[in-house]
Amino acid sequence: MVRSTYEKRVARQLLLILSPSLLLLLAFVIYPAVYSVYLSFTNEALTGAAALNPRFVGLRNYSRLLHDAKFWNSLLVTFFFVVGSAIIGQFVLGLISAILLRRNLAFKQLFSSIILLPNAAPEVVAGFMWISMLAGGENATLSRIVMFFGMTPTDWLQTFPLTMIIVVNTWRGIATAMILLTAGLSTIPSEVYEAARMDGANPSQIFRRITLPLMMPTILLYMLISAVSTIAVFGLVYALTRGGPGGATEVISIYIYNQSFTAFQLGYGAAVAVVALAISLVLGIAYVRAMKVQL
Amino acid sequence: MNRTVLVGLCAITLGAFATLAQAETIRIANHGQAGINAMKSTVARIEKKYGITVEVVEYPSPDKDYMTKLLTELGAGNAPDIFSAPTTAYVADMVAAGYLAPITAEFKAWDGYANFYDVAKQLAVSPDGETYVMPFMLGIQEIYFRRDVLDKAGISTEQPKDWADLLARAAEIKEKTGAYGLLFPAGVSWGTGAFDEGFQHLLVGSKTPQLATEDGKLDLTGEGVKDVFGVYKELIDKDLMPTQPLLGPEPWVIPKYQMFPEGRLAATTCGSWCYIFDWGRESKNPIPDVEKAVGTWTIPGQTGGQYVLANLAAPWGVNSKAENLELAKKVLMEIGSVETQVSYAAQIGNIPASKAAAQDPEFQKLTELLPIHAAAENGVYLKQAAGFATVAEGVARATEALLRKETDAAGAQAILVDYAREILGEEAVK
């Protein structure tokens, strides 16, 4: 089929309009990603002899990964972190908040402000704020609360480090979950609920049989965004624990940073980053397929 | 029209002359307010002497963050002309990376060279025999103990004879006062301090006192390494050393700035700066009459002897890619002057590497540092090798496992060896 001159002109114009974005994507997303893949096949380092003469090492970094107990530990920690904070914590609390905000609650504005507030504080500031609340000793906020109930205070970030970073990340992510799920809830026509009520459905049945199924595309979209962005969380965990104690909170982003900028092994760090990217891609594909099935 | 062109040409010519007439600029990396203050008079002196502009580029303060930024810039080829490394441990690796320009000839020809302590000169020599850094300040650490607390409890304040004596003293302190008996920095959060401020001080008095072999490899499997971890293990298991604060993000704050001044910790390793900044006249939580209330022990050897381990404190070097290498080297020699050393001593509390500092009236005012400066004459040191920064991180990880009671001395040594092999490769570790 021969395209008309008009169509060709429109295509050229579209390309022209999109070219700045394409160039930016190429420069700041595609090129660094491709370069990271290249780095992962070298022994490039920030210091030592490898910084002067980096060598191509083939799959050595990847084979090292397979035998690196700390890498597997970081994957396991990341799994618990994503499941605990994104899949369970943020989703459940975000959904509850979204449902509550659809009702005519007293202090609705105040409630939504409180939910949105965590996003107003920069990651590192939020991290330091939580450190002061979770620190050891009798003066820290949480210790004071548990002492009020006659319990023994502890250094929460040392005793329950993974649980604490899950709690903090949940606190920070509820707002995003709430906004997305509110949008999802608003797409369900009120007539459907009315019909269900007329048929005698109770609130639990309405939630399980109507709300959840009709919201499934939004939920899956949220799960995709949330899981991938939680895998990439760095600043909050770095400010809170720096991956410690003893690797208990060394999520994969912290592990990549530690390998690249504490051990100065850029090649190995890039290999871990490529694996993290692959995991995110697999997750993304799985969710997109699930969404297609739902749609 | 012609007139406009003429005016334009004149403006361009004038602009070009103005650019040419501008003073040459040397960029210096510095971090931490005290370090920046210490260099102020030196910067002014250099600008005046050479007719150049010295641009001081401020870097992040914590050593780890500073090194990350500096090494990234060095790798990218846009780092300042002159910079310092936080400790000796980084130097050999920076040399291997080609970041530092050799200064052997200039340093030896410099008139200040003869006055430097031998230990400083030797610490500055890299494994390839060349000198790459100006070893102008020394970091000297000892064990600082609460003399008043020990006297009150009737505990001897004599210099401990060996490790067993030191550990027995720590146990006696705990038993008679309830205070923690001894602290050696440990754990990942303390960074290179676990190695620089603790581990290596015991190591030099152990059965295997060096880590670098003749062929430039690292020998981490020595008996001494395991025995040093054994000292940590005993301190931790017998609850003679505070462990919980060391697992937090700023591990030095509680033990050094709260527990020691309050007498809840009776002895700790500390540097020469502690009398001034940690508990002395510049401290936020000073110990009254600190020089009487707090005494010092040198670190005893495993079976006897006393060791004053010297380290280079913030050794400065010249970027091998500096635009004007010759000028940068001249500026580096100025940084090595006694005046700058004394300024650093006053601001940071490190020890001048030049014997001539002892005659400087300003240094003589720093009475807390004078005896430590004199003791540097007998300083011992660890021979440097590429990979020391990795060893420092490995020691931090190994001591963290000890703090968490996850391993014993042999296990801690295995953590160190495994980490070094993993990062440096099998060929670099014996």
Side-chain angles (χ1 to χ4, degrees):
Chain A
M1 193 173 73
V2 181
R3 287 206 298 175
S4 69
T5 315
Y6 172 75
E7 281 177 329
K8 282 180 184 172
R9 201 172 71 225
V10 168
R12 271 202 304 273
Q13 281 173 348
L14 275 176
L15 191 67
L16 195 69
I17 291 164
L18 289 175
S19 57
S21 309
L22 279 172
L23 279 175
L24 288 173
L25 272 174
L26 267 173
F28 295 111
V29 179
I30 310 291
Y31 172 72
V34 172
Y35 189 68
S36 292
V37 175
Y38 160 74
L39 271 186
S40 71
F41 293 112
T42 71
N43 69 343
E44 178 81 55
L46 272 180
T47 188
L52 189 62
N53 295 309
R55 284 183 292 113
F56 181 77
V57 294
L59 293 170
R60 202 177 81 180
N61 288 329
Y62 291 96
S63 113
R64 186 177 142 194
L65 268 181
L66 295 176
H67 304 101
D68 183 352
K70 286 201 159 52
F71 165 70
W72 291 108
N73 171 66
S74 79
L75 276 188
L76 194 65
V77 170
T78 308
F79 173 77
F80 286 126
F81 183 58
V82 171
V83 170
S85 64
I87 310 291
I88 299 174
Q90 292 174 5
F91 170 68
V92 172
L93 293 175
L95 188 60
I96 292 170
S97 309
I99 291 169
L100 285 176
L101 283 174
R102 275 171 66 86
R103 300 184 176 191
N104 290 324
L105 288 176
F107 307 113
K108 190 175 168 180
Q109 303 295 332
L110 180 71
F111 179 70
S112 52
S113 303
I114 289 171
I115 299 282
L116 286 167
L117 212 56
N119 278 34
E123 259 185 342
V124 175
V125 175
F128 283 123
M129 198 179 75
W130 275 95
I131 284 177
S132 74
M133 292 200 287
L134 301 174
E138 295 174 357
N139 293 326
T141 314
L142 190 56
S143 292
R144 279 176 177 238
I145 293 170
V146 298
M147 281 164 69
F148 180 78
F149 291 106
M151 292 157 75
T152 316
T154 184
D155 189 335
W156 303 93
L157 285 170
Q158 296 299 326
T159 318
F160 309 105
L162 185 56
T163 311
M164 289 303 120
I165 63 164
I166 287 172
V167 167
V168 176
N169 196 51
T170 300
W171 164 82
R172 198 168 159 77
I174 295 173
T176 315
M178 184 190 75
I179 291 166
L180 257 170
L181 297 172
T182 303
L185 279 174
S186 65
T187 60
I188 304 173
S190 56
E191 293 83 1
V192 181
Y193 287 116
E194 277 171 30
R197 273 188 219 107
M198 285 172 73
D199 289 343
N202 62 34
S204 164
Q205 284 171 325
I206 290 174
F207 180 73
R208 282 186 290 112
R209 302 275 171 82
I210 295 174
T211 309
L212 267 186
L214 288 177
M215 276 192 66
M216 202 45 83
T218 313
I219 290 172
L220 285 171
L221 177 68
Y222 163 73
M223 291 286 184
L224 168 64
I225 294 170
S226 173
V228 171
S229 64
T230 305
I231 289 172
V233 164
F234 173 79
L236 198 64
V237 181
Y238 190 74
L240 280 167
T241 61
R242 300 203 167 204
T249 58
E250 198 172 36
V251 290
I252 200 155
S253 57
I254 299 280
Y255 187 70
I256 292 167
Y257 178 84
N258 282 340
Q259 289 303 323
S260 304
F261 298 109
T262 301
F264 306 124
Q265 304 284 302
L266 291 181
Y268 188 62
V272 184
V274 168
V275 171
L277 179 70
I279 292 170
S280 296
L281 273 175
V282 168
L283 267 178
I285 290 166
Y287 278 127
V288 167
R289 288 204 168 168
M291 279 162 76
K292 276 184 182 166
V293 171
Q294 285 299 321
L295 288 168
Chain B
M1 176 68 183
N2 284 344
R3 198 175 159 194
T4 312
V5 172
L6 194 64
V7 169
L9 280 173
C10 285
I12 290 166
T13 314
L14 275 172
F17 274 116
T19 308
L20 285 173
Q22 260 184 1
E24 190 160 5
T25 300
I26 289 281
R27 293 171 69 229
I28 291 183
N30 211 338
H31 70 296
Q33 197 52 51
I36 292 166
N37 290 345
M39 283 287 282
K40 265 184 185 163
S41 61
T42 305
V43 166
R45 194 178 70 236
I46 292 167
E47 285 183 331
K48 195 175 170 190
K49 183 170 179 179
Y50 294 105
I52 59 171
T53 302
V54 176
E55 183 191 342
V56 178
V57 185
E58 195 173 340
Y59 278 66
S61 193
D63 286 347
K64 259 188 180 177
D65 296 341
Y66 165 71
M67 280 310 288
T68 300
K69 185 165 163 57
L70 180 67
L71 289 173
T72 308
E73 290 187 357
L74 283 165
N78 59 354
D81 302 307
I82 298 174
F83 47 81
S84 64
T87 70
T88 323
Y90 287 104
V91 175
D93 284 318
M94 291 172 88
V95 170
Y99 295 149
L100 290 163
I103 57 160
T104 315
E106 293 82 357
F107 183 45
K108 285 187 174 170
W110 178 55
D111 54 7
Y113 177 79
N115 288 325
F116 271 48
Y117 282 123
D118 285 342
V119 66
K121 291 178 194 169
Q122 284 155 359
L123 271 166
V125 177
S126 278
D128 65 359
E130 292 276 356
T131 297
Y132 291 87
V133 289
M134 165 60 70
F136 77 135
M137 299 303 293
L138 292 171
I140 292 183
Q141 305 241 348
E142 293 177 292
I143 296 172
Y144 287 70
F145 64 92
R146 287 297 298 264
R147 188 187 297 279
D148 51 351
V149 173
L150 269 62
D151 280 341
K152 198 175 165 189
I155 300 167
S156 168
T157 56
E158 291 296 308
Q159 165 72 36
K161 295 180 189 70
D162 50 31
W163 289 0
D165 196 15
L166 182 66
L167 288 167
R169 198 75 58 85
E172 192 182 357
I173 292 168
K174 181 79 179 184
E175 189 190 329
K176 291 185 175 169
T177 69
Y180 287 108
L182 182 59
L183 170 74
F184 277 97
V188 173
S189 301
W190 211 307
T192 54
F195 178 74
D196 290 333
E197 300 175 32
F199 183 86
Q200 63 171 344
H201 297 271
L202 288 167
L203 186 76
V204 289
S206 74
K207 289 171 193 159
T208 51
Q210 294 290 340
L211 297 177
T213 62
E214 290 302 320
D215 55 358
K217 285 189 177 184
L218 292 166
D219 183 2
L220 306 171
T221 54
E223 203 180 337
V225 174
K226 192 179 86 181
D227 292 343
V228 172
F229 284 130
V231 172
Y232 282 84
K233 176 78 179 156
E234 189 168 341
L235 287 170
I236 292 162
D237 282 358
K238 292 184 175 171
D239 199 26
L240 305 177
M241 165 170 147
T243 53
Q244 204 60 28
L246 271 62
L247 293 165
E250 287 186 315
W252 47 85
V253 173
I254 293 174
K256 286 205 170 174
Y257 305 143
Q258 294 175 19
M259 296 174 97
F260 192 80
E262 289 165 7
R264 290 190 289 132
L265 168 67
T268 176
T269 60
C270 209
S272 49
W273 56 88
C274 289
Y275 266 145
I276 303 174
F277 296 97
D278 288 36
W279 316 305
R281 55 190 153 84
E282 300 291 336
S283 169
K284 285 177 187 163
N285 192 14
I287 297 172
D289 209 1
V290 66
E291 284 179 77
K292 281 188 183 166
V294 177
T296 59
W297 295 321
T298 54
I299 318 266
Q302 187 167 6
T303 53
Q306 293 179 39
Y307 295 87
V308 178
L309 185 97
N311 236 323
L312 295 183
W316 286 81
V318 171
N319 186 346
S320 59
K321 291 180 183 161
E323 266 188 44
N324 189 338
L325 264 179
E326 293 314 306
L327 180 61
K329 286 178 182 178
K330 283 178 187 167
V331 169
L332 186 70
M333 297 305 137
E334 290 296 329
I335 290 175
S337 69
V338 171
E339 187 187 330
T340 312
Q341 291 179 35
V342 173
S343 175
Y344 256 82
Q347 291 286 340
I348 297 175
N350 286 133
I351 299 300
S354 174
K355 294 172 209 166
Q359 276 78 52
D360 186 283
E362 290 302 312
F363 186 61
Q364 285 168 350
K365 289 179 191 168
L366 305 171
T367 51
E368 306 93 336
L369 303 185
L370 289 171
I372 306 172
H373 181 251
E377 182 84 64
N378 304 314
V380 292
Y381 65 99
L382 277 186
K383 273 195 294 181
Q384 297 302 295
F388 258 52
T390 302
V391 172
E393 179 67 19
V395 166
R397 288 171 182 237
T399 50
E400 171 120 348
L402 288 168
L403 285 174
R404 294 172 63 76
K405 299 187 179 174
E406 291 171 346
T407 190
D408 57 9
Q413 185 175 28
I415 290 171
L416 168 63
V417 173
D418 289 348
Y419 182 74
R421 284 199 174 131
E422 180 188 308
I423 300 298
L424 303 169
E426 294 283 339
E427 63 281 3
V429 183
K430 186 180 166 188

